[in-house]
Amino acid sequence: MVQLRWGTPEKLRALLCELVSWESRTLTEGEITFPYKVQEKLGDLDFFKKNPANLSLHEVDMGRHFVHAFYKHPEADETIVLISHFDTVQTEEYGDLEMLAFQPEQLTKKLLDRKDDLPEEARIDLESGNYLFGRGTMDMKMGLALHMALIEKASIEKWPVNLLLLTVPDEEVNSAGMRAAVKELVALRDKYRLSYKMFLNSEPSFSQKPGDETHYIYSGTMGKIMPAALFYGKETHVGEPLKGMTANYMASFLTQLMEWNTSFLESDFSEKTPLPVSLQQKDLKLQYSTQTPYRAAALYNVFIMKRSAGEIMDIFEKVAEEAAIRCNESYKALCIRERIEGVGEVQVLRYEKLLSYAVGKFGANLVEQIKGEVQANGDWDEREKSLRIVEKLMIQCQELAPAIVLLFAPPYYPAVNTSSDPLVIESVKLLKETAQLFNEEISQVHYFNGLCDLSYVQYKDESDGWTAFEKNTPVWGDSYSIPFADMLKLQAPVLNVGPFGKDAHQRTERLHIDSAFIHTPLMLEVLIKSMIKVKDAH
């Protein structure tokens, strides 16, 4: 009988600690080298020694790659896709223990010497001995470890199903890895004539509130979109303030209306989206001067369940128009009081309208030149580039000012939900029954309350609502894109089953040991075998 490398809780724990030790913070060298190490690790399995073409790296961007490891049974076409991400957030919050952030065993022991410095809940968990601390233990290298163990076991026991392991970079920033992987999923489906049965992620179970110890599984994931605005006023000297209009003044009206605006609220299965808030608001002056700030920008976070980008832009435009009315009324009262003519009324226009105006005014070549100059700035991310493209176009079209230009800034995560799918209903019931074997209660959440790469499969849009995103995202097609057409081809139910943990993205990030190394491996194996009706080899 072949011995499994990762078939016991102890071996699985060792695998996790090795994966965590390969630090892979987003946009670092570690994120670039990590997939090569995973490929080498999986390449030691007999199946991939015999089928090396089934294990490969695929380019994403900036030297980053995703890994696809394909266990293919000769008589199966039904395929379960195992999705994970291997990048983690940064580690500055660990302070002088930062060097141990990627050494879970050492960090957990060291924290015992400093337990009084921890929040009470984290201290209690540490003292219990039931948790392993460290960056990436929970979010989400344990998910990858679980999938590697599944691939190994399936290949040795020759389960009559196909398992496609997909682990990607960049989930924590723009999901560039998953967006790139979508095309490979379609290509593999067509090449091998596969039937995708389920997209199975293993993001961890997140608590719904402080002190929550419930283990959740998720039958969907919430979406996120980021409407943004460029405010363009009229410059003046601070000594002559009435000759201009600051962009900050204009921005204050829209931000007041956007914060916690219930127009964006959605509910489904008795769950609600968090209300929108501003993620950033700033003027775009690059240095201090006594010239008033006449260009400013704001980014707003909006969570979605069923609405498309087109619907969000329509709501955003109505809110912005109301903000402009209030701004103009306030400004008109000022002009009457000060007996001045003023600089004009603030208008609202979408980026697509500004772009069309600019092309008509000075031609497509100059517009592309402006975009190219912005894209060439390596210090700006996709959000900054989006704002700067609009800013530079407005500088060339100042006759449109004062104006609020509406746009979308990356990233965009479409919402996905398959709670009503018969396979999902059966799977959730089975997982709850399995959890009772170890006296654990599992609850279903219909929308994962963190962002998740499942957003890029099982996409549905009957009204081409995505075109509003394409037309109003300044960096679209250059440094950011979403494969909407290919996403439409990946129609299979989604489910997220991962280990229980706490405090993702905090210095107290930790993983529940029994959940990770005993309970969740069993639940995943039972789940997959139920879908393929595999009898235990023993």
Side-chain angles (χ1 to χ4, degrees):
M1 181 177 167
V2 178
Q3 286 291 317
L4 294 169
R5 294 167 189 246
W6 309 311
T8 67
E10 295 74 24
K11 290 177 179 178
L12 196 53
R13 180 167 174 161
L15 173 62
L16 170 69
C17 290
E18 185 175 9
L19 295 177
V20 171
S21 74
W22 304 340
E23 73 86 7
S24 51
R25 290 164 291 177
T26 317
L27 299 174
T28 67
E29 184 65 23
E31 188 186 27
I32 293 173
T33 58
F34 188 93
Y36 291 93
K37 296 174 182 176
V38 173
Q39 182 185 36
E40 183 180 359
K41 195 86 177 166
L42 286 168
D44 281 339
L45 298 180
D46 287 344
F47 178 83
F48 293 114
K49 286 179 180 177
K50 295 173 185 173
N51 303 278
N54 288 34
L55 175 62
S56 59
L57 301 185
H58 298 265
E59 187 174 359
V60 177
D61 60 11
M62 298 185 287
R64 302 182 296 185
H65 294 77
F66 68 84
V67 183
H68 109 236
F70 187 27
Y71 161 65
K72 176 80 176 73
H73 189 278
E75 297 170 11
D77 60 2
E78 287 198 333
T79 304
I80 299 166
V81 184
L82 308 173
I83 297 173
S84 65
H85 70 86
F86 58 75
D87 63 315
T88 71
V89 295
Q90 305 301 312
T91 51
E92 294 90 342
E93 69 274 15
Y94 285 89
D96 66 334
L97 295 182
E98 188 173 8
M99 67 180 115
L100 297 181
F102 299 108
Q103 305 295 330
E105 305 286 8
Q106 295 178 47
L107 176 65
T108 304
K109 288 178 183 175
K110 188 68 176 177
L111 286 174
L112 282 168
D113 299 333
R114 303 188 182 187
K115 59 186 180 182
D116 292 337
D117 296 338
L118 298 178
E120 183 180 9
E121 187 179 343
R123 177 183 59 76
I124 292 171
D125 287 346
L126 175 66
E127 290 177 335
S128 73
N130 294 330
Y131 286 84
L132 194 61
F133 286 67
R135 175 62 77 240
T137 52
M138 172 194 178
D139 185 15
M140 71 162 291
K141 288 182 177 172
M142 190 63 228
L144 172 57
L146 290 164
H147 294 172
M148 291 171 70
L150 281 170
I151 285 273
E152 178 194 26
K153 193 165 190 179
S155 66
I156 289 173
E157 296 182 356
K158 297 183 169 52
W159 297 357
V161 68
N162 304 322
L163 295 182
L164 175 57
L165 181 152
L166 200 65
T167 190
V168 301
D170 191 52
E171 189 267 356
E172 299 291 0
V173 179
N174 285 323
S175 278
M178 190 62 200
R179 287 185 287 115
V182 165
K183 292 182 180 180
E184 177 66 9
L185 283 172
V186 174
L188 281 171
R189 184 201 64 178
D190 294 344
K191 179 179 179 180
Y192 294 103
R193 297 183 180 178
L194 304 177
S195 170
Y196 289 137
K197 192 169 184 70
M198 178 177 280
F199 295 105
L200 182 60
N201 204 327
S202 289
E203 288 273 12
S205 170
F206 281 80
S207 59
Q208 298 285 303
K209 57 187 176 182
D212 185 6
E213 300 282 337
T214 307
H215 191 157
Y216 297 101
I217 53 177
Y218 307 87
S219 48
T221 183
M222 209 173 282
K224 166 207 167 89
I225 195 165
M226 199 144 58
L230 188 288
F231 307 92
Y232 201 101
K234 175 70 173 70
E235 76 281 5
T236 185
H237 188 283
V238 290
E240 299 179 301
L242 297 179
K243 286 189 174 181
M245 179 186 289
T246 70
N248 296 343
Y249 174 76
M250 298 161 60
S252 68
F253 289 91
L254 182 54
T255 295
Q256 278 281 345
L257 290 183
M258 280 299 294
E259 291 270 355
W260 310 317
N261 190 320
T262 55
S263 299
F264 294 93
L265 181 66
E266 288 189 73
S267 61
D268 195 23
F269 294 101
S270 299
E271 296 173 16
K272 292 182 179 180
T273 54
L275 292 171
V277 292
S278 57
L279 279 180
Q280 187 179 70
Q281 183 170 308
K282 61 178 183 177
D283 72 62
L284 299 181
K285 286 172 67 174
L286 295 176
Q287 65 278 318
Y288 170 81
S289 76
T290 53
Q291 182 191 56
T292 56
Y294 64 98
R295 296 159 296 166
L299 304 176
Y300 304 103
N301 190 87
V302 173
F303 284 108
I304 50 179
M305 285 180 170
K306 292 183 175 295
R307 286 176 176 147
S308 68
E311 291 170 303
I312 295 298
M313 179 55 81
D314 289 344
I315 298 170
F316 185 42
E317 188 173 46
K318 287 180 182 176
V319 175
E321 287 169 347
E322 174 62 26
I325 289 170
R326 295 188 185 190
C327 180
N328 287 328
E329 287 175 348
S330 175
Y331 185 64
K332 184 177 179 181
L334 168 78
C335 291
I336 292 171
R337 187 187 78 210
E338 299 293 335
R339 298 180 182 177
I340 59 171
E341 276 193 31
V343 298
E345 286 200 343
V346 175
Q347 67 162 322
V348 175
L349 65 156
R350 298 187 183 196
Y351 169 73
E352 60 182 302
K353 185 175 179 182
L354 170 63
L355 183 65
S356 175
Y357 182 90
V359 169
K361 181 180 178 182
F362 43 74
N365 288 340
L366 183 55
V367 169
E368 289 306 311
Q369 181 183 328
I370 289 171
K371 285 187 175 182
E373 289 170 358
V374 172
Q375 290 287 353
N377 190 320
D379 295 329
W380 289 343
D381 65 13
E382 274 69 40
R383 287 149 292 284
E384 191 70 23
K385 288 176 180 177
S386 299
L387 298 170
R388 294 294 176 176
I389 287 171
V390 180
E391 174 198 33
K392 292 189 180 300
L393 289 177
M394 276 300 298
I395 288 174
Q396 301 294 333
C397 304
Q398 294 183 43
E399 62 274 18
L400 298 177
I404 302 172
V405 184
L406 309 182
L407 62 140
F408 285 123
Y412 171 30
Y413 289 79
V416 173
N417 188 275
T418 57
S419 297
S420 301
D421 186 275
L423 178 59
V424 170
I425 293 170
E426 290 174 21
S427 298
V428 169
K429 181 183 176 186
L430 177 66
L431 289 165
K432 287 183 176 182
E433 291 171 355
T434 306
Q436 298 207 337
L437 295 175
F438 26 82
N439 297 317
E440 185 174 336
E441 288 289 328
I442 279 187
S443 293
Q444 179 183 5
V445 171
H446 299 275
Y447 288 91
F448 182 62
N449 55 319
L451 299 178
C452 174
D453 281 330
L454 288 175
S455 282
Y456 300 104
V457 296
Q458 232 277 328
Y459 181 72
K460 283 183 165 61
D461 186 349
E462 285 147 21
S463 60
D464 289 344
W466 77 62
T467 57
F469 187 82
E470 294 178 352
K471 291 178 180 178
N472 290 289
T473 301
V475 294
W476 181 264
D478 295 322
S479 57
Y480 188 83
S481 61
I482 298 174
F484 289 113
D486 281 334
M487 284 156 53
L488 282 168
K489 299 174 185 175
L490 300 175
Q491 296 300 316
V494 305
L495 198 59
N496 191 98
V497 183
F500 180 74
K502 295 181 182 179
D503 293 353
H505 298 192
Q506 300 179 45
R507 67 188 175 99
T508 47
E509 177 181 350
R510 58 199 183 276
L511 180 72
H512 191 279
I513 291 168
D514 285 353
S515 173
F517 305 119
I518 300 173
H519 303 168
T520 311
L522 177 63
M523 289 196 298
L524 287 171
E525 182 174 341
V526 168
L527 173 64
I528 289 173
K529 286 185 173 181
S530 75
M531 284 193 274
I532 57 176
K533 309 302 180 192
V534 170
K535 294 181 180 178
D536 197 303
H538 308 294

